[in-house]
Each structure stands twice: as structure tokens, then as C-alpha cells.
Amino acid sequence: MYKLLIKPFLFRLSADYAHELTVKAVSTYSKRKVFLRAAETIYSYSNPALSQNIWGFNFKNPVGLAAGFDKNCTLAPMLEKLGFGFLEIGSITALPSTGNPKPRSFRLPADQSLINRLGLNNDGAQTISRRLKNLNLNIPVGVNIAKTHNPDIYGDKALQDYQTSFNLVKDEADYITLNISCPNTAEGKTFEDPDVLNALLEILELNKDSSLPPVLVKFSVDLDETRLSELISVCESHAISGYVATNTSSNRENLKTSTDELKSIGRGGLSGKAIQQRSTEIIRKIYKETKGEKTIIGVGGISSGMDAIEKIKAGADLIQIYTSMVYEGPSIVRQINKEIAEYLAANDLENIYQIRKKFKSQSG
């Protein structure tokens, strides 16, 4: 139904308006039990082979929703019923933000990709933390935090800004992702500098407080190998529980979309199929650098079970989707989970861990 009726309608609208309309509809449906039950009946898929225990939480399947869709924690009840194994709320910031002026999101159908420069629009950490507290879901919920979208907040103020968000959600989130690589801040700066990242991790006191939830760091897909290694080294000197790979890209190379159209769109983060291979390579490098000892969430261009398995073979424990929801619709969650389960059965593998174990042993 999505591809025949809903998608053609939404694609006649601007990407911004279509997203806002979708968020409003899902938010409304999340408050009504009849819609929640219907969604669960249509989209749920269960197979014990997909289950994993990570950080003491049961992930019933490896497919999560990436940060950026449910920025304000208003859609979670419905998203759970769509079959996700976990959700990541945000990005959220210490102060509320309306984000960048519109238009700020664009479709690239020829590349099955999106470009966005939303600008971290959200209701602010204090409001969102209250919504988190009132959630009652049966799946893990992570929170992605970033620096407030304001060029006047820099240096020590930027560190304190992160700390404010972190402290507001640390008792409510099942895990926290530090978004150090968002390309859509007002000043265009990120925390992907080793010294700055070290200062951030020090102020959060990860090494001093054992009661904190698992903390992950999200890297850009555009990192070169040397800088990635430097950043991982910094993270490994702190109590980091894992990594999210990857964020969107500022690179526009090798796209099918015309140069003129790309110029008219302008800056923003590229997501979807266009970054699939690069994100997988970052996962592979993180797995190697950490000797497979840290949890990795793979994200970037996943729109099928085999795409997910590619990420798992590279070293991912869990995966996240976003852009494929736009192009394929909500049934993509069930489809990916079903295809992973079929792959496990066809290869006589009991669980997802064995995919990674078998591949790594074969590749040496």
C-alpha cells in the first residue's frame, strides 16, 4: 500500500512537508490503541534467532531506527509496533531549536538517498527528558545528543552544553549516543578533533561514574583512516561502550543526481544508498581497531536484509535505518528482519553473532 498509494502522494509534496505530515500522523496514531494494535498485527515479525543481549538489554531483533526521525520522542509507541528492535531518539540539544530555514531536506531518487540540513530542530533536552520518563516500551531506547544549534556556543560553553543534555537524559536513556559529527550545525564545526573529543569525554566523567548508561560515539562517514584511528584511541581511553557508524556525508562524488541539481540543493548531510559502501568500510575499520570488543551500530544505506548482513559481516552488532523508510515504507523493518532470519536458517547459523564469527574466521 505504501508504494502504490502513500509514497506517490508524499513524493508530490516537498520533502520537508512530507516529513512533517508523516511525523504528525504517526504522533497522532501513537496515542490510540486501536492503531497501535493494527500496526503490530501488520508489521510485527518475531524470530528468536534475531534476539541479542547487549549491555544487559534484550534486543529482540537488530533493526533500529536511526536518530533524526523521532527527534522529540513523540512517535515511539507507534515505532515500536512497526517492529523495530530498538529506537534512537534525537538528536536533542540542551536548548530548543527551530533548526535551519526551509527548504532543508531533499530527495535524490536516482541515488535512493536524501540530503538534509535540518539544523538539529528539537524541543530541547529538558522537555524531551520528561517524555522519555513517561515512555513504557518493551524495547531499548537510546538518546542521541548534540551541541545546541548556535554559533555563539563554542569552546567551554559547547562542552557545558553537551553536559547539560547528558545529565538530563542519563537516568532515562537505555544508552546515549554522542553525536560529534553532525555537519548541519550553524558554524559547521564538529567534535571530530581528538583534543576536543577528549575534553568532551572528560567533562562527562565516563571513567568516574559506573552508574551511567552505555555511551556510544557517532562518527562521520567522511573520516579518513588516520583521523578515525586517532578518535578511536581517544574513546578507548574513556569508558565508551560502542560506536555508531556512520553519520551523513558532505561528499557529493559519484552520484547519479545531476551536478546542477546538487548545486541547487546546496549543503547538507547525504544519507542512503550513496554512502552504503563507505559506511561499511568505517564499520570494518572500527571493528579492527577495537579487536571486536566494542558494540557497533551500523547505519548507512541499508534497505534489505543482505545490506544489513553486509554491515554485520563487517563487524556491526546492530543496524539502524532511516532513508529506506522514506523510499520503502514501514514494511521495510519486517522485510529486513525476515531476510536476516532466512539467511541464518539457510546457512545453519543459530544467531547473528555467528554470522560475524563465521565471516571473520574465513577472512582471517
Side-chain angles (χ1 to χ4, degrees):
M1 186 175 73
Y2 178 81
K3 288 189 174 182
L4 289 175
L5 298 176
I6 299 175
K7 181 180 175 182
F9 168 71
L10 291 176
F11 273 50
R12 290 192 190 100
L13 309 174
S14 71
D16 288 312
Y17 185 57
H19 178 72
E20 290 168 2
L21 192 64
T22 300
V23 168
K24 186 175 181 180
V26 176
S27 179
T28 299
Y29 298 153
S30 288
K31 298 171 185 175
R32 301 183 181 180
K33 291 182 179 180
V34 62
F35 290 118
L36 294 175
R37 286 195 295 267
E40 185 172 29
T41 299
I42 296 169
Y43 296 110
S44 64
Y45 176 80
S46 179
N47 189 310
L50 299 176
S51 177
Q52 299 178 88
N53 189 286
I54 300 174
W55 309 313
F57 297 111
N58 178 49
F59 290 77
K60 66 180 182 180
N61 67 64
V63 183
L65 181 68
F69 193 88
D70 190 5
K71 289 177 174 289
N72 293 313
C73 194
T74 58
L75 317 177
M78 177 57 72
L79 294 171
E80 179 185 22
K81 300 305 181 184
L82 294 182
F84 285 103
F86 68 106
L87 307 174
E88 189 165 309
I89 303 301
S91 293
I92 73 168
T93 56
L95 300 176
S97 174
T98 56
N100 289 319
K102 299 173 185 175
R104 57 191 186 186
S105 56
F106 309 87
R107 306 182 192 96
L108 278 59
D111 294 288
Q112 292 287 288
S113 298
L114 302 172
I115 290 175
N116 90 80
R117 51 170 178 270
L118 296 176
L120 299 168
N121 53 309
N122 73 103
D123 293 340
Q126 189 168 37
T127 296
I128 295 169
S129 67
R130 288 197 295 266
R131 292 178 187 147
L132 279 166
K133 190 172 185 177
N134 292 326
L135 277 185
N136 184 25
L137 303 186
N138 294 312
I139 58 174
V141 178
V143 178
N144 184 300
I145 63 176
K147 187 187 79 67
T148 295
H149 182 64
N150 186 333
D152 294 328
I153 299 175
Y154 62 91
D156 288 344
K157 289 182 179 178
L159 297 177
Q160 292 162 8
D161 184 87
Y162 256 104
Q163 187 179 37
T164 297
S165 297
F166 187 85
N167 288 338
L168 282 168
V169 302
K170 66 182 181 182
D171 294 328
E172 314 302 338
D174 292 324
Y175 73 87
I176 295 174
T177 297
L178 304 179
N179 183 0
I180 65 167
S181 52
C182 178
N184 298 322
T185 54
E187 69 278 25
K189 295 180 181 178
T190 74
F191 277 72
E192 287 184 319
D193 173 276
D195 291 336
V196 177
L197 176 58
N198 188 64
L200 173 62
L201 298 181
E202 282 187 349
I203 200 171
L204 297 181
E205 299 185 333
L206 305 184
N207 291 339
K208 297 180 180 179
D209 189 350
S210 60
S211 68
L212 293 173
V215 176
L216 289 74
V217 173
K218 187 170 188 176
F219 291 136
S220 167
V221 73
D222 295 333
L223 286 173
D224 62 45
E225 191 167 353
T226 300
R227 178 50 59 92
L228 176 63
S229 182
E230 291 172 346
L231 293 173
I232 292 173
S233 179
V234 170
C235 291
E236 291 299 297
S237 69
H238 295 269
I240 290 298
S241 297
Y243 301 91
V244 182
T246 60
N247 213 327
T248 56
S249 175
S250 298
N251 193 309
R252 299 292 186 265
E253 294 180 2
N254 301 316
L255 294 177
K256 297 176 183 177
T257 303
S258 71
T259 301
D260 288 343
E261 184 174 351
L262 292 172
K263 285 182 178 179
S264 70
I265 290 172
R267 66 182 182 86
L270 175 70
S271 66
K273 279 293 180 183
I275 67 168
Q276 180 181 353
Q277 295 305 316
R278 283 183 285 160
S279 69
T280 301
E281 186 56 34
I282 295 286
I283 292 168
R284 189 172 288 113
K285 290 174 181 176
I286 295 172
Y287 185 92
K288 182 179 179 181
E289 288 274 349
T290 60
K291 299 179 174 60
E293 295 176 354
K294 293 294 176 69
T295 299
I296 300 173
I297 300 177
V299 54
I302 299 169
S303 59
S304 71
M306 289 311 298
D307 292 340
I309 289 165
E310 177 187 75
K311 294 283 195 283
I312 293 166
K313 286 181 176 179
D317 301 90
L318 303 164
I319 60 105
Q320 291 177 333
I321 62 173
Y322 182 127
T323 303
S324 60
M325 287 278 286
V326 174
Y327 286 99
E328 304 296 331
S331 63
I332 189 62
V333 184
R334 177 186 174 91
Q335 176 189 326
I336 292 173
N337 279 315
K338 188 176 180 182
E339 289 176 3
I340 295 173
E342 290 170 348
Y343 178 89
L344 290 170
N347 289 274
D348 294 321
L349 301 173
E350 294 181 4
N351 52 45
I352 289 168
Y353 169 74
Q354 290 189 349
I355 297 177
R356 197 160 47 253
K357 183 179 179 181
K358 179 179 180 180
F359 178 77
K360 292 302 177 184
S361 66
Q362 289 176 347
S363 61

